Amino acid sequence: MLLLHGSFASSRWWEPFLNILPNEILAVAPDLRGCGQSDKSETGYAIEEQAEDVWALVQALEWDEFDLVGHSSGGAIAMEFALQHMERLHSLILVDSAPAEGVFTPVDAYVLLERMKTDPELLREGLKVLMPTWHDDEGDPERRRFLDQLVADAQQMAPAAFTAIADALGRWNRFHEVRHLTLPTLLIWGDQDEIVDRDATTRTLIAIPGAANLEILRQVGHSPMIEAPVALAERMIDFITDEFEEYEAIREMAEEEE
C-alpha cells in the first residue's frame, strides 16, 4: 500500500493510521517533493510531475501491483498516476481528495499562503482547519506534541511549495479523462470536511467508472488518518479484502475453465 499525503503535510500525517494497520499489510508513506525529508526544490510541483516522482519510487520499490491511497492534493497525484500506470494498481483509494476537476484558489487565499511561510501561529491555525474534529487539548500533551511536529514539518517545506501546489491544482483537470479508470476505486469523505465539499466528492465518484462507493465518515473532518484512523483503516481494509477475494474467485474460475 502506497500512501500519499496532502498539502502542508508529510509522511508523519499517516503515523496514527500506520500504528493501527495490521502487520500483514506492507505500507509505505513517502515525503512528497518539497515536504518532510525530501528535496526542497523550487520547481516540479505540477501534479503530472509529482505523479512521475511517485512512478520513480514505485520502480525503485519494484512493486508490480499495489493499492494506491491519496489524501487531499495527494488524491490528485494518485488519480494522475492511475491514468498513466493503471496496470500497476490493485485499487485506488481517495481520502477527502481534491476533486477530479482540480481546485481553484482565490487570490486572497494566496496571500494567506504566503504569510504562512513566516507566521507559525497562522500556519498552526491553518493546519487545525484541516483536522477540525481533532484538537491539541492542553490536557493531552501527546496531541499537542504531535501537532507541534506537524507545524514544524510544514515550516520546513520548500518555500515554493506553499503556493506551487495550490497553483498546480488550479491548472490540473482530469474530470473527463478519469472515465478511463476502470480499476476498483473507493472514495472516503469526512462529513465535517471544510476543504472539499460533498458535491465535489460526488462529482469525482460519478466520473470514475471503477468507483465502487462513497464511504462517509461521520463527525470527521478533512484528515481521517489523524482524526479517525481506526474508522479509516476499517473502511480501507474491508474494501481491499473484498476486492482481493473477488479477484481470487475470478482467477479460480478462469483456471477451472482452462
Side-chain angles (χ1 to χ4, degrees):
M1 180 184 293
L2 187 61
L3 307 167
L4 306 182
H5 64 74
S7 303
F8 292 92
S10 67
S11 58
R12 196 187 306 275
W13 284 58
W14 289 104
E15 285 185 2
F17 174 84
L18 291 169
N19 288 338
I20 52 90
L21 204 60
N23 291 332
E24 57 266 28
I25 297 179
L26 171 62
V28 172
D31 290 327
L32 297 177
R33 180 183 292 260
C35 303
Q37 299 302 309
S38 289
D39 290 344
K40 307 301 190 294
S41 63
E42 290 297 308
T43 60
Y45 295 99
I47 301 302
E48 297 86 349
E49 291 173 308
Q50 294 197 71
E52 283 302 308
D53 287 346
V54 176
W55 172 236
L57 173 61
V58 170
Q59 290 179 300
L61 292 171
E62 298 183 343
W63 281 6
D64 290 324
E65 189 176 28
F66 61 97
D67 300 290
L68 180 59
V69 184
H71 170 239
S72 193
S73 61
I77 298 169
M79 282 184 269
E80 184 66 34
F81 181 94
L83 286 169
Q84 303 301 326
H85 308 286
M86 187 166 57
E87 74 284 352
R88 288 296 187 103
L89 299 179
H90 171 248
S91 72
L92 175 64
I93 301 176
L94 303 174
V95 181
D96 291 82
S97 171
E101 69 266 25
V103 178
F104 169 74
T105 301
V107 174
D108 56 345
Y110 276 102
V111 175
L112 286 176
L113 294 177
E114 286 288 347
R115 284 181 53 195
M116 285 181 182
K117 293 180 182 180
T118 57
D119 188 337
E121 285 308 312
L122 180 61
L123 181 58
R124 177 183 291 270
E125 293 305 311
L127 295 188
K128 285 184 178 181
V129 173
L130 301 180
M131 51 189 86
T133 69
W134 186 94
H135 306 288
D136 58 328
D137 193 331
E138 291 290 348
D140 190 340
E142 286 300 319
R143 283 196 174 193
R144 185 170 185 81
R145 187 156 43 245
F146 186 63
L147 182 59
D148 287 343
Q149 290 176 326
L150 299 186
V151 174
D153 288 346
Q155 285 181 291
Q156 294 172 10
M157 284 170 51
F162 277 81
T163 56
I165 296 173
D167 183 59
L169 286 171
R171 291 183 283 108
W172 180 83
N173 186 335
R174 291 291 183 267
F175 185 79
H176 296 294
E177 288 86 349
V178 294
R179 71 181 186 276
H180 299 299
L181 296 179
T182 56
L183 78 166
T185 302
L186 175 66
L187 275 70
I188 300 175
W189 179 75
D191 68 354
Q192 301 299 307
D193 191 338
E194 301 176 25
I195 307 300
V196 180
D197 62 29
R198 172 71 179 271
D199 289 345
T201 301
T202 301
R203 289 195 299 274
T204 301
L205 175 71
I206 294 172
I208 300 177
N213 202 358
L214 169 60
E215 289 281 350
I216 298 177
L217 302 181
R218 306 294 178 184
Q219 299 304 308
V220 177
H222 184 66
S223 305
M225 70 288 297
I226 292 175
E227 299 174 74
V230 174
L232 178 63
E234 288 175 346
R235 302 299 198 284
M236 289 171 56
I237 292 170
D238 285 348
F239 173 71
I240 292 170
T241 301
D242 289 346
E243 291 300 329
F244 178 77
E245 290 176 350
E246 182 178 345
Y247 170 79
E248 287 295 301
I250 292 173
R251 190 182 70 170
E252 290 175 5
M253 288 176 61
E255 290 176 350
E256 289 174 0
E257 290 177 357
E258 292 177 356

